Amino acid sequence: MKIVVLPGDGIGPETMAVTVDVLQAASKRFNLGLELMHDIAGHASLQQHGATVTPALLEKVKNADGLMLGPMATYDFKDEAKGEINPSKFFRKSLDLFANIRPARTYPGVKTITSAFDLVVVRENTEGFYADRNVESGNSEILVTPDVAISLRRITRECCERIARSAFELAMQRKRHLTLVHKHNVLKVTDGMFLDACHRVAKDFPEVTVDDFIVDAMMAHVVRAPARFDVIVTTNMFGDILSDLTAELSGSLGLGGSLNAGLNNAMGQAAHGSAPDIAGQDIANPFSLVLSASMLLSWHAQRSGNAAYLQAAQAIDQAVEDCIANGECTRDVGGKLGTHATGQAVVKRLG
Ligand code: NAD
């Protein structure tokens, strides 16, 4: 398996260094023969190549089996004409990575404000309220006059159906319970189409129990009783917000793994951003990126039929869980270790 590795901005280089160590340890133990192809994106690429991402990099990623993308300082990238392209959007759109899978679960040893839970948010990734990816050319946020602005949300039946199918397939591998999250009471046409598409796909999965919640009420339900949820599917912006909440409810945003998957490509990417407030201090939690790498290995196992990748992914998840239970983790989840030392603890447990 060839994986392109792009450390990214802010805490990216620190957390990606840990992730690389963990991947190499897993490769050695499970004889995966992983080939890690190191390159740059974000500020480093802007400085060196005049653009945060380049067509040559995209080709490299297309020819690989997976991508690990570090967190990006997206807010800094405002003008595409100056090479300031949002790398996350670039890969999601160019590779049609339509399904953003964001698991969140509590861990023994991490204090949380809720009871124990284990759920997955499945977020549509290619349209919705994301102005930089839902039109063929240009941007769907329009400044009509200096005091009037419009933002357009694109919803298509095709994208709704394919994200619904991904979510139902995932629910079949878990507790067979899928929750649809929407704002159908206000967005009658767009979220009406989303709901309709989900109910059509549901006919192919009669074993899955389906319920639905309006997104604002969902925020209360997921805080009050997260254990009642298994797989949650929703549109892009709602999924982005909801999954940050569920990651934080699990103990820290730094625990939120995330995979962006299409039919032929996948990209592991931490759920959080570049966290400039703690960058370079060796205090960032590397687990979000490490768990994202584990998800990439699982995805490859399914695609290639090679069970060794799944075993490696399960061993990484177990090593993270054991580290957390023993306090071998960063301060945000109750430990005392730095980013690097946390990575070494995972590597040691992987043998
Ligand atoms: P952020 O997710 O970077 O940080 C939010 C808070 O969580 C901060 O207090 C930060 O210190 C903390 N945090 C985040 N990751 C952590 C970790 N691994 N360990 C411990 N604490 C962690 O969000 P932000 O500050 O709003 O955004 C910073 C930059 O990241 C912006 O440029 C934003 O556009 C970008 N961003 C990128 C992505 C992405 O690449 N997928 C996602 C979100 C934000």
Side-chain angles (χ1 to χ4, degrees), residues 93-104:
K93 195 169 171 180
S94 308
L95 302 172
D96 200 19
L97 305 176
F98 62 88
N100 186 196
I101 316 288
R102 293 187 162 187

Side-chain angles (χ1 to χ4, degrees), residues 191-251:
D191 271 355
M193 186 180 293
F194 170 72
L195 279 181
D196 184 57
C198 289
H199 287 304
R200 278 172 194 236
V201 176
K203 292 191 178 113
D204 295 338
F205 298 89
E207 302 94 333
V208 177
T209 305
V210 179
D211 55 10
D212 72 275
F213 288 96
I214 293 172
V215 65
D216 37 347
M218 182 67 182
M219 296 295 157
H221 287 295
V222 88
V223 170
R224 197 182 298 150
R228 69 189 279 186
F229 299 104
D230 177 24
V231 179
I232 300 164
V233 65
T234 188
T235 50
N236 200 343
M237 183 76 83
F238 295 160
D240 194 14
I241 297 166
L242 178 59
S243 60
D244 267 24
L245 174 67
T246 53
E248 188 62 30
L249 287 178
S250 77

